[in-house]
Amino acid sequence: MADLMPVMDGMVQTLAGSDLWMALAIPALPILAALVTFFVGKRMWRGGAALPIAAIAGSLGLSLVFFLRMLNGGEPVGWSIAWFKVGDLTFTVGVLFDNLSVWLMTLVSLLSLLIVVFSTAYLADETDEHLRRYYAVKALFVAGMLGSVVMDNYLLMFIFWEIMGLCSYLLIGYWYTKASAATAAKKAFLTTRLGDIFLFLGIILLFTTFKTLSYRELFHHPDLAAHKDILFWAGLCIFGGAVGKSAQFPLDLWLPDAMEGPTTVSALIHAATMVKAGVYLVARTFPLYVALGLGIGDSVFLLIGLVGGFTALYTATMALVALDIKRVLAYSTLSQLGYMFLALGAGGYLFLHTGSGAGFTAAMLHLMNHAFFKALLFLGSASVILGMHHHQDLREMGGLRSKMKVTYLTMLIGSLSIAGIIPLSGFWSKDEVLSTAFHAGSLNGVFFVLWGMGLLTAAMTAFYMFRMMFLAFHGKPRTESAENAHESPATMTVPLALLAVAAAVSGLWLVFGPGFSGIIHYPYSADLGEAEFEASGHLLMEILTAPLTYLSLAVALGGILVARSKYKAGLPASEAEVPTRGVRGLLYNRYYVTQAVYEPLGNVVAMGVAKVANWFDRKGIDGAVNGVANVADRAGARTRRWQDGKLTTYMASVAVGVAVALFLLHEVVLRFRW
Amino acid sequence: MIPIAWTLTLSSTLLAVGIFGLLAQRSALRILVSVELVLNAANINFVAFANIRGQSQGLVFTLFVIALAAAEAAVGLAILLHAYRHVRSVDVNKMTLLRW
Amino acid sequence: MLDILSEGLIPLTILATLVGTLATYASSNRTSRLVALVASLPALAATTYMLWKVGFGGATYEFHASWEWIAAIGARLEFGVDGLSASLAWLTAVLTPLVILYSWHENTKPRLFFALILLMDATVLGVFTSLDLFLFYIFWEFVLVPMYFLIAVWGGPNRKYASTKFFVYTGSASLVMLLGFMALYFGAGVGSFSIPVLTAIGHTLGYAKEFAMLAFAALAIGFLVKMPSVPFHTWLPDAHVQAPTAGSVLLAGVLLKMGSYGLMRIAIPILGDAFTAHHAVALGPIAFWWSYQWAFYVLGTVSVLYGAFLCLAQDDLKSLIAYSSVSHMGMVTLALATVTPLGFAGAAYMNVAHGIIAAGMFMAAGSLQHSTGTRLLSRLGGIAPRVPRLTGLTATLFLASLGLPGLMGFIAEFTIFAGTWQAFGWLILIPIWSILITAGYYLWALQRGFYGPEVRHPDVDWEHMHDVPTTERWSMVALIVLALVFGVLPGLLMGSYNAWTLQVLALLGGA
């Protein structure tokens, strides 16, 4: 019989009965859909889209059930069983549905559903044979993201994390006959693997020291304070994993190249969901960083904020001269992710000193808003690319405003949102991020510098987003494809419209109703400590009366106006060619970091070592082996000349042998008198 | 009596000549003859010592050796005949199949 | 009378497989493959039953049979399995029918070919199940014979060199190992070759310290050459590249495991004190200490990294997979050096994981050769649209080998590295980079050979390029399914390892 009441179990209520089935179905449905689609998808509608859409819709529905419960004040629930034992250590499998995971899984399922529906039209001209691969891997990816978010221990999270990495590899290299796509996929996998080594090490450190990987048990472990040194290194390693997955400096090189995949893939994986997994990981690990206490914890949060702030500015500069519409969005994703880490870092620092969880909330709010407007922008660009008959270069566009009205309007909303114009969503979260950094700056001067970087980034963001908008949609069409552009079908425009609405209003959740910080705050589960958040109406007044708010608004408007003045008329002559020299060349080539650091490391150092090792193995080690055999061979060659087949030689041997034997016998007899 | 030393010298000389012939000849026939020489050298030794000691065992040995030498020469010549049919020569340097 | 379901099971299984060998050779060219396939099934059934029984059992030997054989020297016919050997015996019995299935269309001397495969099955089963050192040695040496012929008759252009090198190299190492066995026998002084007896003696009375050190060195050399561990590994690439696919699969799948099995069953339990004992050394002003445990860490780490770097420089796909075997077995050496439950369980798990996955990879390399006519990655490129199924299978197997979670390899790697951290602390930072390098060489191999635009080389037959045929495909699928099952449900095997792990560690940690 279905049991609808969760069973009490101390800290977190245990899922049971139909609730448990619903909870497990959320990551399980897409996996099943992926398997079935992979094997029989060819014969299904649009190469197999039906099952993944149904499965993701199912996951969304189930997530909404838990989401609504949470909004109505529901308690966190969880469940776990033993998976396998090694010696006397047990590994478990389980789920944890607290505020953070429920909210994120709902967000992920919603976005995934819209994007997969969108792709049925976007990829309409692919062959069914290949499309089943696309849909199956997409479904597996969604399962991976949902799994990462709902699992209750680090090991299982890592497993689904790697599955996401696999799907990213497969989808970036979807058009595997293109050399650039195959290279980009490999680069993505290897770079994230480097980050994953750190995460792997961090998990090992935690497991061997505390004998558990379950979030609840770890965060409440009695020995946490005694092992601060291990906790420090483990925390850093976990952050290393996040740096890889969320493409922060110095592991940012893979994300722009990942644009080789279909745009819907970029939208889902590289904008809305997978890259957020790193932010989620740091958010989830927050209690461990906090447990490090003042001093050590400060330095960790400072590092997180530093990496985030630096990446935000660094990647924003690259977007200033980008010529491919997807590249602009890729750089902007990196930059916004930087904001999230900045917020987490500054927020953690503030929490340690003042107990304010505002930074955590700001980061999560920005995560949600960014997911919406970035997915919107990417899908919009997909619409543009489709309308332009698969041309992506901004220099070839122009005047699309009149030909693709819905796309234009939705992308305009998205751009305004990312630039941070009131009352759209981006404004609220970006403002919160910057104000957190500013307040942390009063405690530690470095954060003040980071705030400045964040402000500069905001100006640049507004600038390059509207540069993109003006170059693509305003002015006159610069090529034939732009002339003949057409609007996209409803399957694409409807999701765009829905996302535009979300991108417009999602930020308002911060200040209306119970307030975002009433739901997503740190500590994020009731059992993890006292909740401390700010009432929403109060927050609205604070924001509207702070001078910082108007500063960031002014900066954003300034950026838009500069872009308008430069690009409203169309493409300036100076930007017609791909830049190779000077500052623009530097930015276009991403500061030559790849060429200067990664390529030598890979091609020269690694391959060099490999070739030397190969030579050493063949000539050195194997040479020694063959040498031994050679010595034996030559000794044999010398000795066997005795056997020359001549009768006389053999008789001579007999004679000599007899003489020697007689001599020895004589000597022996004489000596020992036998 | 003939001094034993001369007899021994004679048989040693014959032995040496015979062994030289065994080891240094190319013709198989000459090798067989050298074998006879060696055997006869041993025979002379046997007779000489039988004479000195006045016993008959040495003489019996001699008769044995003569008979054996005859048999062995016969067998050896038969083998040589077969070999000649294959190699068309009595040169032992041509019969070197039993090598490495 | 003989109880078939307990003590008689192992000898009967081996005997049945040997009879199968004869039957295969005696049948006709066409039916020999079917006879071989059928004859390989009793071993599969028996070992599955044994694995199931042992999975829930304790630390003692199950199916223990012990009969007097050569009373004059104390050699007995002693068989038995425990958690460690049951899975390895099962692995052997699983790979044999899959190899036969894969080579279904072998038409050069098929009777002899399939008979040799079955002979390998029987002798390797003998190695994994015998509990008497004399018997163990006989089976160990005998394994070399069918493999030698498989390489020498059905191998590639340089097969004479490769087969002779394989035979002489591993054979001479076995002689050193025999010295070790003799040392154990004479040192114990009870006139018994039985492994359980010697283990008990080694743990209680112990061998003399210097004597034990030398004996361990002798044993270790024999086993390390087989694994193979750097610097004794150079026979492997040649053997693999020249061997036919069936030979490579069995070589990588089971033969290499014999080396690590020997360490885990004989060297470490019996001479545990020698393994962990520290020795102080003073070279002039520099004083340090060493132990075999540390030597294993060094050997393991070097094998892992050196093997991985070598893979980057390989052009022949089979040679690449061969060096990756060196790298993965280096992880086993590293795991054994840790002397922790996680490490030892990881070593046992990696044995089976690598056995299954490397077997699959060699099958894929063989299929690549059949389909395109070459294995050289520099001559291939962009063949994925022509051979989609092969690409998918190869990619899956490569991902399994680089430790993608969800498949067996990850569980093995995780437990091994966790044990390495416990035993060696921050020294884990040296071997752990192999994770990245491994991913690098596999993905690069995929990119070079399968993805990207078409590369038309005269050596590659684009006209007749066909996708992987049914028998080859299903063999690989079966292995992938196994890797998946054990990746998702590691408890199936871990249960059998835990008892063994704790028992061995008790031997090492105690007196």
Side-chain angles (χ1 to χ4, degrees):
Chain A
M1 261 317 285
D3 183 29
L4 296 171
M5 289 295 297
V7 175
M8 295 291 294
D9 178 35
M11 292 197 280
V12 165
Q13 295 174 358
T14 308
L15 284 167
S18 63
D19 272 5
L20 180 59
W21 286 111
M22 287 201 298
L24 292 177
I26 293 178
L29 281 175
I31 295 184
L32 289 170
L35 278 172
V36 176
T37 310
F38 185 75
F39 288 114
V40 297
K42 247 191 305 191
R43 293 164 215 133
M44 302 175 77
W45 174 65
R46 294 266 202 212
L51 268 184
I53 291 178
I56 300 175
S59 297
L60 176 62
L62 293 171
S63 307
L64 280 170
V65 170
F66 287 100
F67 187 69
L68 288 170
R69 273 193 210 167
M70 177 187 79
L71 284 180
N72 289 332
E75 295 294 308
V77 286
W79 171 85
S80 79
I81 54 168
W83 189 21
F84 66 97
K85 276 179 64 118
V86 178
D88 50 358
L89 299 166
T90 311
F91 293 94
T92 58
V93 173
V95 293
L96 176 66
F97 278 35
D98 65 359
N99 295 16
L100 188 61
S101 48
V102 169
W103 159 72
L104 202 48
M105 81 186 178
T106 314
L107 180 67
V108 166
S109 348
L110 176 61
L111 281 167
S112 311
L113 183 61
L114 289 172
I115 295 174
V116 176
V117 168
F118 184 96
S119 37
T120 55
Y122 183 67
L123 293 173
D125 47 351
E126 290 278 321
T127 64
D128 287 351
E129 162 66 45
H130 290 158
L131 270 181
R132 73 175 161 99
R133 210 165 28 101
Y134 172 85
Y135 287 112
V137 180
K138 265 270 170 94
L140 184 62
F141 168 78
V142 174
M145 185 72 196
L146 287 173
S148 297
V149 165
V150 305
M151 289 294 150
D152 76 340
N153 65 69
Y154 278 106
L155 184 63
L156 261 298
M157 194 234 42
F158 184 72
I159 291 178
F160 281 98
W161 173 282
E162 290 272 324
I163 290 180
M164 281 201 287
L166 167 71
C167 296
S168 165
Y169 169 75
L170 291 174
L171 285 172
I172 296 174
Y174 176 69
W175 289 304
Y176 52 60
T177 47
K178 273 178 69 179
S180 53
T183 313
K186 179 187 63 161
K187 189 188 227 179
F189 194 87
L190 288 179
T191 318
T192 48
R193 200 123 242 260
L194 181 55
D196 291 345
I197 291 182
F198 286 106
L199 181 53
F200 185 72
L201 186 56
I203 294 178
I204 287 178
L205 288 173
L206 286 176
F207 186 65
T208 50
T209 316
F210 300 108
K211 310 279 184 273
T212 177
L213 286 171
S214 151
Y215 300 139
R216 289 185 288 135
E217 286 173 28
L218 261 179
F219 300 162
H220 288 263
H221 206 273
D223 294 337
L224 273 185
H227 292 282
K228 274 205 184 152
D229 49 343
I230 293 286
L231 207 53
F232 173 68
W233 290 112
L236 278 186
C237 287
I238 292 180
F239 179 58
V243 164
K245 200 62 133 190
S246 297
Q248 299 296 289
F249 182 81
L251 295 176
D252 58 290
L253 65 155
W254 65 271
L255 192 63
D257 290 331
M259 298 298 114
E260 289 285 334
T263 314
T264 44
V265 166
S266 310
L268 182 60
I269 298 184
H270 306 122
T273 46
M274 188 178 89
V275 291
K276 304 287 179 19
V279 183
Y280 164 74
L281 180 62
V282 174
R284 183 56 88 189
T285 316
F286 224 65
L288 287 183
Y289 295 128
V290 167
L292 286 171
L294 291 169
I296 309 181
D298 280 346
S299 33
V300 174
F301 281 124
L302 189 60
L303 177 68
I304 296 176
L306 201 57
V307 169
F310 177 75
T311 309
L313 184 60
Y314 171 70
T315 50
T317 55
M318 295 180 203
L320 296 174
V321 300
L323 291 172
D324 182 331
I325 193 172
K326 287 177 70 175
R327 284 283 167 109
V328 177
L329 296 175
Y331 292 127
S332 121
T333 305
L334 289 170
S335 187
Q336 300 301 309
L337 285 168
Y339 270 135
M340 291 176 223
F341 282 107
L342 174 59
L344 281 173
Y349 202 94
L350 271 176
F351 183 80
L352 278 179
H353 289 261
T354 66
S356 159
F360 186 88
T361 310
M364 296 296 105
L365 183 67
H366 199 57
L367 191 154
M368 179 176 70
N369 293 340
H370 177 263
F372 282 128
F373 59 61
K374 198 38 75 61
L376 167 63
L377 285 167
F378 262 111
L379 291 185
S381 72
S383 175
V384 166
I385 293 172
L386 194 66
M388 290 275 299
H389 301 289
H390 294 285
H391 287 256
Q392 303 177 188
D393 199 320
L394 282 171
R395 298 172 291 172
E396 295 174 16
M397 300 180 193
L400 296 176
R401 177 167 59 153
S402 45
K403 302 192 172 59
M404 304 177 76
K405 292 200 175 58
V406 179
T407 307
Y408 173 65
L409 276 171
T410 51
M411 282 196 80
L412 183 63
I413 293 178
S415 302
L416 286 171
S417 191
I418 195 176
I421 306 296
I422 200 171
L424 298 171
S425 61
F427 162 75
W428 304 103
S429 53
K430 195 177 283 197
D431 187 65
E432 282 294 296
V433 170
L434 288 174
S435 93
T436 308
F438 188 77
H439 286 124
S442 60
L443 293 169
N444 186 326
V446 179
F447 280 113
F448 194 74
V449 174
L450 291 174
W451 170 78
M453 287 165 103
L455 200 60
L456 188 55
T457 310
M460 289 189 191
T461 308
F463 172 78
Y464 65 64
M465 284 313 297
F466 276 88
R467 168 177 176 266
M468 178 190 85
M469 290 298 290
F470 283 120
L471 281 178
F473 293 102
H474 290 249
K476 298 217 178 326
R478 291 186 281 276
T479 58
E480 269 206 45
S481 328
E483 289 256 357
N484 302 328
H486 57 84
E487 186 56 274
S488 305
T491 353
M492 290 168 72
T493 51
V494 168
L496 281 177
L498 287 171
L499 282 172
V501 170
V505 307
S506 64
L508 294 173
W509 192 4
L510 178 67
V511 290
F512 292 111
F516 188 71
S517 56
I519 307 296
I520 304 299
H521 50 262
Y522 179 73
Y524 42 72
S525 296
D527 71 296
L528 291 172
E530 288 298 308
E532 163 117 24
F533 53 89
E534 297 156 55
S536 54
H538 176 72
L539 190 56
L540 179 60
M541 284 317 296
E542 260 190 46
I543 293 176
L544 289 178
T545 53
L548 280 179
T549 314
Y550 297 101
L551 178 59
S552 39
L553 254 181
V555 155
L557 280 169
I560 298 178
L561 288 172
V562 173
R564 184 167 186 274
S565 68
K566 277 194 83 168
Y567 299 106
K568 181 135 167 86
L571 187 68
S574 58
E575 301 200 22
E577 297 295 319
V578 170
T580 48
R581 311 228 315 267
V583 176
R584 301 192 67 235
L586 185 68
L587 294 180
Y588 190 80
N589 286 301
R590 299 192 250 159
Y591 298 93
Y592 297 107
V593 170
T594 313
Q595 289 91 318
V597 177
Y598 292 109
E599 259 165 42
L601 264 180
N603 290 349
V604 177
V605 173
M607 278 311 292
V609 172
K611 289 208 156 56
V612 168
N614 199 23
W615 177 89
F616 176 69
D617 205 58
R618 284 220 185 267
K619 296 285 183 308
I621 300 185
D622 213 21
V625 172
N626 286 343
V628 168
N630 232 335
V631 165
D633 205 33
R634 269 185 287 158
R638 293 273 161 75
T639 328
R640 69 181 171 214
R641 283 193 228 154
W642 209 227
Q643 303 288 108
D644 57 2
K646 286 197 207 160
L647 186 60
T648 46
T649 317
Y650 294 156
M651 287 196 288
S653 316
V654 170
V656 168
V658 166
V660 169
L662 278 175
F663 174 75
L664 279 176
L665 206 59
H666 177 255
E667 292 299 302
V668 164
V669 166
L670 257 181
R671 304 268 147 194
F672 296 106
R673 290 171 206 280
W674 275 351
Chain B
M1 299 278 13
I2 304 175
I4 192 77
W6 295 8
T7 334
L8 289 179
T9 316
L10 176 62
S11 68
S12 310
T13 316
L14 278 179
L15 185 68
V17 172
I19 289 185
F20 170 76
L22 267 185
L23 298 185
Q25 292 299 326
R26 265 195 325 171
S27 166
L29 282 169
R30 293 192 190 184
I31 291 180
L32 283 171
V33 167
S34 307
V35 171
E36 297 295 317
L37 265 179
V38 169
L39 286 170
N40 278 315
N43 271 347
I44 294 177
N45 249 7
F46 277 126
V47 167
F49 279 105
N51 214 359
I52 297 242
R53 301 183 96 187
Q55 289 167 332
S56 56
Q57 285 94 327
L59 301 172
V60 170
F61 260 113
T62 313
L63 289 174
F64 263 108
V65 171
I66 291 174
L68 277 168
E72 170 263 321
V75 171
L77 283 168
I79 293 174
L80 184 57
L81 213 64
H82 274 283
Y84 179 79
R85 288 210 189 112
H86 283 285
V87 189
R88 283 284 149 215
S89 148
V90 289
D91 184 349
V92 285
N93 286 346
K94 290 206 168 42
M95 303 176 215
T96 57
L97 286 178
L98 195 64
R99 60 181 287 171
W100 64 270
Chain C
M1 255 319 284
L2 203 58
D3 186 356
I4 292 188
L5 278 185
S6 74
E7 50 165 30
L9 188 59
I10 299 176
L12 275 179
T13 310
I14 298 178
L15 202 58
T17 318
L18 284 171
V19 167
T21 313
L22 292 171
T24 311
Y25 191 64
S27 60
S28 79
N29 276 342
R30 264 195 330 114
T31 58
S32 59
R33 57 208 78 206
L34 192 57
V35 173
L37 189 60
V38 168
S40 65
L41 295 178
L44 180 57
T47 48
T48 314
Y49 173 63
M50 284 193 269
L51 182 61
W52 175 76
K53 240 0 225 330
V54 168
F56 310 110
T60 56
Y61 292 109
E62 308 272 340
F63 303 95
H64 195 172
S66 178
W67 300 300
E68 222 178 75
W69 187 23
I70 308 176
I73 56 173
R76 299 177 71 82
L77 281 177
E78 192 162 354
F79 297 99
V81 288
D82 69 351
L84 176 63
S85 43
S87 52
L88 287 170
W90 178 79
L91 177 67
T92 316
V94 162
L95 282 179
T96 307
L98 287 178
V99 159
I100 295 175
L101 193 63
Y102 182 91
S103 317
W104 200 253
H105 299 288
E106 178 65 52
N107 275 322
T108 318
K109 300 186 166 87
R111 299 183 314 158
L112 187 59
F113 183 81
F114 290 108
L116 285 173
I117 293 179
L118 274 180
L119 185 59
M120 278 217 75
D121 190 14
T123 44
V124 175
L125 275 175
V127 170
F128 286 137
T129 55
S130 57
L131 290 179
D132 179 286
L133 286 180
F134 196 79
L135 188 61
F136 182 92
Y137 187 76
I138 291 179
F139 276 120
W140 177 280
E141 287 293 292
F142 212 87
V143 166
L144 298 181
V145 172
M147 184 51 76
Y148 171 80
F149 283 112
L150 277 173
I151 301 179
V153 178
W154 290 272
N158 207 15
R159 58 187 181 271
K160 276 174 65 174
Y161 169 73
S163 55
T164 313
K165 188 178 191 181
F166 161 73
F167 196 92
V168 174
Y169 204 147
T170 48
S172 26
S174 309
L175 278 177
V176 180
M177 183 183 81
L178 183 62
L179 263 182
F181 284 173
M182 291 298 128
L184 288 179
Y185 175 73
F186 287 111
V190 292
S192 167
F193 279 104
S194 163
I195 294 178
V197 170
L198 289 174
T199 313
I201 291 181
H203 177 58
T204 53
L205 302 172
Y207 291 85
K209 206 157 178 250
E210 285 303 316
F211 181 79
M213 292 294 291
L214 288 172
F216 189 88
L219 288 176
I221 288 182
F223 295 133
L224 286 173
V225 168
K226 200 72 164 183
M227 276 181 79
S229 169
V230 171
F232 306 120
H233 64 288
T234 50
W235 60 270
L236 189 68
D238 288 306
H240 267 309
V241 169
Q242 301 301 325
T245 309
S248 287
V249 168
L250 289 172
L251 182 56
V254 275
L255 256 74
L256 301 186
K257 314 300 175 281
M258 283 167 35
S260 52
Y261 171 73
L263 282 171
M264 290 194 262
R265 169 68 78 220
I266 301 172
I268 293 178
I270 300 180
L271 295 172
D273 296 329
F275 184 52
T276 51
H278 287 196
H279 299 264
V281 174
L283 290 173
I286 310 172
F288 59 95
W289 60 267
W290 68 277
S291 67
Y292 277 123
Q293 198 180 344
W294 274 97
F296 269 42
Y297 167 83
V298 171
L299 284 176
T301 306
V302 169
S303 297
V304 165
L305 286 175
Y306 184 71
F309 271 113
L310 279 168
C311 290
L312 276 176
Q314 299 306 314
D315 193 22
D316 184 335
L317 184 60
K318 249 188 163 181
S319 166
L320 188 149
I321 303 174
Y323 280 114
S324 96
S325 293
V326 173
S327 184
H328 284 87
M329 294 311 281
M331 272 199 243
V332 176
T333 314
L334 181 62
L336 290 176
T338 64
V339 191
T340 59
L342 280 169
F344 275 21
Y349 211 83
M350 175 59 95
N351 266 346
V352 180
H354 180 260
I356 293 178
I357 297 171
M361 286 197 288
F362 278 111
M363 287 185 184
S367 298
L368 182 65
Q369 170 120 43
H370 291 163
S371 295
T372 64
T374 179
R375 289 188 312 255
L376 298 177
L377 293 168
S378 55
R379 310 246 166 111
L380 294 167
I383 64 174
R386 291 289 195 103
V387 288
R389 285 195 168 123
L390 181 61
T391 313
L393 289 168
T394 312
T396 314
L397 287 162
F398 280 177
L399 290 167
S401 184
L402 62 85
L404 191 74
L407 297 156
M408 268 182 110
F410 171 69
I411 307 283
E413 280 192 17
F414 181 77
T415 43
I416 290 177
F417 279 117
T420 310
W421 163 259
Q422 281 184 316
F424 299 109
W426 290 109
L427 282 175
I428 194 181
L429 284 180
I430 306 179
I432 204 169
W433 300 110
S434 68
I435 297 181
L436 182 64
I437 307 173
T438 309
Y441 66 70
Y442 278 134
L443 292 184
W444 192 41
L446 271 181
Q447 190 187 330
R448 270 189 290 168
F450 293 85
Y451 296 143
E454 284 188 3
V455 168
R456 296 255 166 172
H457 192 280
D459 281 357
V460 177
D461 187 0
W462 282 87
E463 305 289 304
H464 299 111
M465 200 182 288
H466 57 87
D467 208 349
V468 52
T470 325
T471 53
E472 298 181 9
R473 189 169 15 122
W474 285 106
S475 317
M476 288 191 262
V477 168
L479 288 171
I480 292 176
V481 168
L482 280 176
L484 195 59
V485 166
F486 290 123
V488 173
L489 298 170
L492 289 177
L493 283 181
M494 281 296 185
S496 56
Y497 294 146
N498 281 332
W500 168 77
T501 314
L502 292 170
Q503 181 192 29
V504 169
L505 285 168
L507 288 172
L508 285 172

